[in-house]
Amino acid sequence: MPSVPTPEIRAPTVIGWGMEWSRYHAVLFDLDGVITPTAEVHKRAWAHVFAPLLAGIPGQRPYGDDDYYAYLDGRQRAEGIRDLLAARGIRAPEHAGDGELSVASIDEEKNRLFRESLSREGIEPYPGTAALVRGLAGDGVLLGVVSSSRNARHVLLASGLASLFDVVVDGDDMAAAHLPGKPAPDAFLYAAELLGIVARGAIVVEDSVPGSRRAQREVSRSWSVSTAAPGPTR
């Protein structure tokens, strides 16, 4: 595990949102809905996959936002797909032949649609979060991104903020390290370990209520934010 020297805690500097951020060793950010509005891109891609799929199965109610938030939002793709299909009583193998329904075929189609949208439209970070990240980086605070998305590094590069983060833990890293997906706190704990700090020396910035609660209980002081107006909302 890489070792990063723990930064000296200096006189606190107030940087946005009324918090003394530099009292902490590190700030660990969720990505989708916190740094970038990719949550909406993911949401549209899932709808383009599941709406026609469910419409073609007799007896299935239409796909809706409740499906997205209950089973897919913030989850690793394959895990979310399995849970949504199970909730609908649909059986599908992990892998199948070309043109046949499987967890892998749904996963691949959603990822194709997401990357096409990202390539076509790009992504701009939330201005408030971008200003906060730049301010924290300039103040010497260690920064990390923890995201269940396997596209996190692509999104971060597209946002123009990638060089400001000391560590990124994404869906591929979680799979390689056999970590459960969020809202389990393991990925945040792993990021803190990569940064060479104790977890309690970090702030977690999450827009997921379950993720924020788990982080607050088991990782750090957490800060849940709204995608519409960055700030402590819940």
Side-chain angles (χ1 to χ4, degrees):
M1 195 66 62
S3 176
V4 179
T6 301
E8 178 185 357
I9 301 179
R10 297 167 286 103
T13 302
V14 177
I15 307 178
W17 303 358
M19 286 187 61
E20 295 175 340
W21 293 81
S22 62
R23 291 178 58 188
Y24 296 85
H25 293 181
V27 182
L28 305 175
F29 290 85
D30 181 27
L31 178 63
D32 299 336
V34 171
I35 297 175
T36 56
T38 33
E40 285 302 314
V41 185
H42 284 295
K43 187 178 177 182
R44 288 196 300 270
W46 281 121
H48 284 307
V49 171
F50 273 111
L53 188 158
L54 295 175
I57 300 176
Q60 287 290 331
R61 61 176 174 80
Y63 173 84
D65 287 352
D66 55 335
D67 293 301
Y68 172 75
Y69 290 114
Y71 304 110
L72 304 170
D73 185 26
R75 308 278 297 280
Q76 293 185 40
R77 286 197 306 271
E79 179 185 353
I81 292 165
R82 291 187 202 104
D83 286 352
L84 192 155
L85 293 178
R88 293 299 196 103
I90 301 170
R91 302 186 65 177
E94 289 293 306
H95 301 277
D98 291 343
E100 297 181 13
L101 180 67
S102 67
V103 172
S105 68
I106 296 171
D107 187 323
E108 291 166 6
E109 177 64 4
K110 187 271 175 178
N111 198 44
R112 182 186 69 79
L113 291 169
F114 175 81
R115 289 198 176 186
E116 281 183 0
S117 179
L118 189 66
S119 176
R120 184 173 61 251
E121 302 170 11
I123 197 76
E124 289 290 331
Y126 291 112
T129 308
L132 176 63
V133 167
R134 292 187 178 103
L136 290 169
D139 214 33
V141 178
L142 293 174
L143 301 177
V145 167
V146 178
S147 171
S148 295
S149 173
R150 294 176 183 265
N151 290 303
R153 285 179 169 82
H154 296 281
V155 173
L156 204 55
L157 283 169
S159 77
L161 299 176
S163 64
L164 300 179
F165 288 92
D166 300 286
V167 67
V168 176
V169 175
D170 65 7
D172 286 327
D173 299 313
M174 293 181 197
H178 305 290
L179 300 175
K182 296 191 291 181
D186 302 64
F188 284 110
L189 293 167
Y190 182 62
E193 188 178 355
L194 289 173
L195 289 171
I197 65 168
V198 295
R200 291 288 170 182
I203 294 173
V204 169
V205 185
E206 255 280 7
D207 69 335
S208 158
V209 173
S212 179
R213 287 175 178 164
R214 289 294 295 273
Q216 191 167 27
R217 186 166 65 247
E218 302 181 48
V219 181
S220 67
R221 173 172 183 170
S222 66
W223 209 249
S224 184
V225 303
S226 163
T227 59
T233 61
R234 57 184 182 268

